[in-house]
Amino acid sequence: MSDLPERLPSYEREPRLCRLDADVVSSGEHDGRPYVVLSDTVLYPEGGGQPADHGCVDGIPVIDVRKLPGDEIVHMLDGTPPSGRVTVELDWDRRFDHMQQHTGQHLLTAVAEDRFGWRTTSFHLGERVSDVELDAPEISPARLSELEEAVAREIRAARPVTVRRVTREEYDGMAVRSRGLPEGHTGSIRLVEIDGIDLNTCGGTHCASTSELETVKLLRTESLRGGTRVSYVAGGRVRRLLGSHHVRTAKLRALLGVSDEELVSATESRLQQMKDADRMVRDLEAQLATSAADGLAHRSDPVLVAHWPSRDLPFLQQVAREVGVLAPERAVFLTAGEGEEGAFLVAAGPDAEVDVTAAGRAVAEILAGRGGGSGRIFQGRATRLSLRGEASAALRQLVRS
């Protein structure tokens, strides 16, 4: 990289340098966050689809790095900006992860276009999974496997990945894979080359060889904007993903008592059993609501009152509907819940001369609750169910008057 201009920051001149001393050029606040500008830095600013590096300046965490107009690089800090001579340190694990994902994208893009004719239209480097959008209307599982194997062959070939800068005149005469230079770009142009595979404009950090990718796993596809989004992980993310899947699978094996091969069928069977059980519970609740409504309708009290500790508002609604059919001249006051909190419902049949809205508001006030409704039903949540007796007495008084 001896042909690179001397004034380039250290993150570009020496992308594996993790620590250096620099001078604080300026400091201040940007977007409400303290920052420093340094004479040099090992921290890469966000750009080209690659997130910013993390690290620290004199032990103060750097949570973001941005390049502002004029190429000024600001280090956003989680603390008071230091001054004078400082030490800048890079979170290397995060950087190398980004290098693997970004280099993996370059290789995936080159192989997809050169071997299959699928041009990359977009790239996103995510925190856990990255993706490229390819201009293929659809990619079958078999073709996706072919693409993954083709990428794996180039990883095994250990092709060197190099960086250089060229003039605009040199660039114009080269076969470069690029979506175009930024508007208003001046000066030299940075190129990243995978030997024999790809030559691309890029400002990011990359592995020194395709072998450092270790592996690239294509996870899934998704149709998007007439093309196909391909999600992938590279390098250490593959091992971490496999490890998390192994732990999760072991827990599922223990819960279901089956082998890996039987997990899907066992899960499907359990889900069907749950659906059948839910259907049975709903049928039983409907029968219980009908039975409860029948019992209430046979009482002589003009206001039918009942409480169920283990039921909920939908159950109260079922009971109220049934009572409205069996005893259309009656009003009901129903509650559900254990302790002080729960649901309440005030309703009246079509022949009952009751202002349900006024009655419901009075009940809600006594129960320290809130609710609403229209027509023949008022329902809500209560926080003082122990005052059900007072609410019942007030409701009976309203019905008599």
Side-chain angles (χ1 to χ4, degrees), residues 60-289:
I60 303 170
V62 176
I63 59 174
D64 196 10
V65 187
R66 305 179 190 176
K67 181 179 286 189
L68 300 183
D71 290 339
E72 184 178 61
I73 298 174
V74 297
H75 301 69
M76 315 299 289
L77 304 177
D78 187 18
T80 304
S83 59
R85 193 73 172 168
V86 296
T87 299
V88 190
E89 295 180 88
L90 167 70
D91 180 345
W92 170 252
D93 290 340
R94 175 183 169 87
R95 159 73 70 79
F96 189 63
D97 171 64
H98 290 168
M99 291 166 68
Q100 287 185 316
Q101 311 315 311
H102 203 160
T103 307
Q105 177 264 314
H106 280 233
L107 182 58
L108 179 56
T109 287
V111 172
E113 184 170 355
D114 295 344
R115 308 283 178 85
F116 299 90
W118 303 328
R119 187 175 59 86
T120 295
T121 59
S122 179
F123 160 59
H124 171 247
L125 199 165
E127 290 186 8
R128 298 182 62 189
V129 174
S130 301
D131 62 75
V132 294
E133 291 182 24
L134 304 177
D135 64 353
E138 62 177 333
I139 300 176
S140 67
R143 294 289 273 172
L144 193 69
S145 295
E146 291 178 28
L147 174 59
E148 183 176 276
E149 181 55 37
V151 169
R153 285 196 295 269
E154 302 305 339
I155 293 174
R156 294 192 294 269
R159 295 181 178 274
V161 181
T162 55
V163 177
R164 68 180 186 272
R165 284 183 175 269
V166 298
T167 65
R168 182 58 184 261
E169 291 72 21
E170 291 172 319
Y171 171 80
D172 289 338
M174 304 172 75
V176 179
R177 196 189 313 271
S178 175
R179 283 184 287 163
L181 298 175
E183 185 177 350
H185 177 82
T186 59
S188 61
I189 299 168
R190 188 172 188 265
L191 302 178
V192 176
E193 182 173 12
I194 302 176
D195 186 44
I197 294 289
D198 188 44
L199 182 62
N200 207 327
T201 56
C202 187
T205 58
H206 298 81
C207 299
S209 165
T210 58
S211 64
E212 288 189 338
L213 288 173
E214 304 173 34
T215 186
V216 172
K217 178 59 183 175
L218 307 184
L219 302 175
R220 57 183 176 270
T221 62
E222 176 187 1
S223 296
L224 190 71
R225 293 187 284 270
T228 300
R229 173 184 288 168
V230 179
S231 299
Y232 73 93
V233 287
R237 293 194 184 188
V238 179
R239 297 195 305 275
R240 290 190 291 273
L241 183 64
L242 178 60
S244 65
H245 284 339
H246 178 75
V247 171
R248 188 180 304 113
T249 300
K251 291 180 179 179
L252 289 173
R253 285 199 307 268
L255 287 171
L256 297 174
V258 298
S259 66
D260 286 359
E261 292 73 18
E262 299 171 307
L263 279 175
V264 173
S265 60
T267 302
E268 290 174 341
S269 176
R270 295 295 176 90
L271 287 174
Q272 185 59 52
Q273 291 174 12
M274 290 174 61
K275 290 179 181 178
D276 293 342
D278 286 343
R279 189 180 304 111
M280 183 179 296
V281 168
R282 289 195 299 271
D283 290 345
L284 290 173
E285 283 192 334
Q287 294 175 27
L288 178 59

Side-chain angles (χ1 to χ4, degrees), residues 346-364:
V346 176
D351 298 336
E353 297 181 359
V354 180
D355 185 339
V356 174
T357 301
R361 288 174 178 169
V363 167

